[in-house]
């Protein structure tokens, strides 16, 4: 995928730090480019109308307009509609039902891990590319229609026994802030033991969310260094 074909994304969250973190992870995905960030309902609506993005990461609890009200007005704009990933603390039945009715297929309840978000981004990228590839065909086979109509959202990623989602996202955030670090350095940043940090780091390497290299510059045995993956 070339830079020009990246999916334009708008991040919407009233918490500035959370929005920045989401933008960092979305920007690290090779299929997406962050076009703008909004911290209120009216600002989100204005930016969506201006940029006509492919994807919106949409919080529901916003000043001015709720996320669902923003989405209602976006749907009323007509034209090409963005894919929406709800990123919200709302877990009540009514919110989920309204999101479903508004066409939201990906619903992430806060707090979630970077791996959960990555999985949804992968889904959106695959679906959008499938739509582009199918757009030139006059008729689709049933299997193509089934692929395009499938329900998004695969549920939370099942971590190996002994690993928690909250600690995993803490470790990955530490790795993003301090690339090329040792397990000991990440342990200190994350507030966990070195053994635990290594387990999480090795898991991130296993699922292609981190890279592991050997540093031969140190005296004696080479040290293992970890960095967040920008391509996996």
């Amino acid at each position: 995928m070339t830079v020009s074909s990246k999916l334009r994304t708008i991040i919407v969250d009233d918490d500035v730090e959370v929005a920045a973190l989401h933008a960092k992870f979305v920007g690290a995905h090779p299929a997406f480019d962050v076009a703008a960030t909004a911290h209120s309902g009216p600002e989100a609506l204005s930016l969506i109308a201006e940029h006509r993005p492919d994807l919106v990461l949409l919080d529901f609890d916003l000043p001015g307009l709720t996320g669902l009200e923003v989405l209602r007005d976006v749907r009323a704009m007509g034209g090409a509609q963005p894919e929406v990933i709800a990123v919200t603390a709302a877990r009540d039945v009514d919110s989920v039902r309204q999101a479903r009715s508004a066409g939201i297929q990906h619903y992430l309840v806060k707090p979630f891990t970077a791996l959960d978000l990555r999985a949804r981004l992968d889904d959106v990228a695959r679906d959008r590319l499938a739509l582009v590839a199918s757009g030139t065909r006059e008729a689709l086979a049933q299997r193509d229609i089934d692929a395009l109509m499938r329900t998004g959202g695969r549920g939370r990623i099942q971590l190996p026994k002994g690993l928690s989602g909250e600690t995993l996202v803490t470790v990955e955030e530490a790795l993003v802030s301090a690339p090329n670090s040792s397990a000991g350095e990440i342990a200190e940043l994350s507030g966990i033991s070195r053994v635990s940090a290594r387990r999480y780091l090795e898991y991130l390497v296993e699922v292609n969310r981190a890279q592991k290299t050997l540093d031969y510059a140190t005296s004696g045995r080479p040290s293992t260094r970890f960095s967040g993956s920008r391509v996996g």
Side-chain angles (χ1 to χ4, degrees):
M1 178 175 291
T2 63
V3 173
S4 60
S5 65
K6 285 188 176 184
L7 302 176
R8 291 165 297 123
T9 305
I10 289 181
I11 310 295
V12 183
D13 200 294
D14 66 322
D15 188 310
V16 175
E17 292 185 358
V18 170
L21 181 61
H22 291 171
K24 180 179 293 185
F25 283 121
V26 171
H29 194 295
F32 295 88
D33 182 57
V34 177
T37 301
H39 305 297
S40 71
E43 183 184 16
L45 194 58
S46 175
L47 288 172
I48 292 169
E50 176 185 351
H51 292 278
R52 305 301 297 203
D54 300 289
L55 172 67
V56 178
L57 260 66
L58 184 63
D59 188 15
F60 283 3
D61 188 13
L62 299 169
L65 293 169
T66 68
L68 287 169
E69 288 171 336
V70 169
L71 185 57
R72 177 201 63 199
D73 290 346
V74 169
R75 297 306 190 212
M77 290 178 187
Q81 291 289 311
E83 188 76 38
V84 176
I85 299 177
V87 286
T88 175
R91 57 177 70 235
D92 58 283
V93 173
D94 190 48
S95 293
V96 176
R97 183 182 294 117
Q98 289 186 63
R100 182 81 174 181
S101 298
I104 294 178
Q105 293 185 319
H106 303 273
Y107 196 108
L108 282 173
V109 177
K110 296 178 180 178
F112 51 85
T113 71
L115 291 173
D116 291 323
L117 177 56
R118 173 73 183 211
R120 300 322 192 278
L121 293 174
D122 288 343
D123 283 344
V124 171
R126 182 184 59 242
D127 292 348
R128 284 278 165 163
L129 289 174
L131 285 169
V132 170
S134 303
T136 57
R137 306 181 201 172
E138 293 185 1
L140 299 175
Q142 181 66 53
R143 64 178 179 274
D144 298 323
I145 295 173
D146 290 342
L148 292 172
M149 293 297 293
R150 69 183 179 279
T151 301
R154 299 177 295 183
R156 294 180 69 84
I157 291 175
Q158 296 299 311
L159 297 174
K161 186 176 180 179
L163 301 188
S164 77
E166 292 76 10
T167 304
L168 182 65
V169 73
T170 299
V171 170
E172 188 163 15
E173 288 171 3
L175 196 58
V176 169
S177 66
N180 197 35
S181 293
S182 67
E185 290 165 341
I186 294 300
E188 186 175 350
L189 288 171
S190 304
I192 59 178
S193 71
R194 182 180 179 280
V195 172
S196 294
R198 179 170 286 279
R199 285 195 64 201
Y200 283 97
L201 289 167
E202 292 289 355
Y203 175 72
L204 288 171
V205 171
E206 181 182 338
V207 297
N208 296 321
R209 288 299 297 149
Q211 297 172 339
K212 180 170 65 172
T213 59
L214 292 177
D215 182 6
Y216 292 92
T218 57
S219 58
R221 181 181 301 178
S223 62
T224 302
R225 316 295 292 185
F226 297 89
S227 294
S229 174
R230 309 287 295 185
V231 297

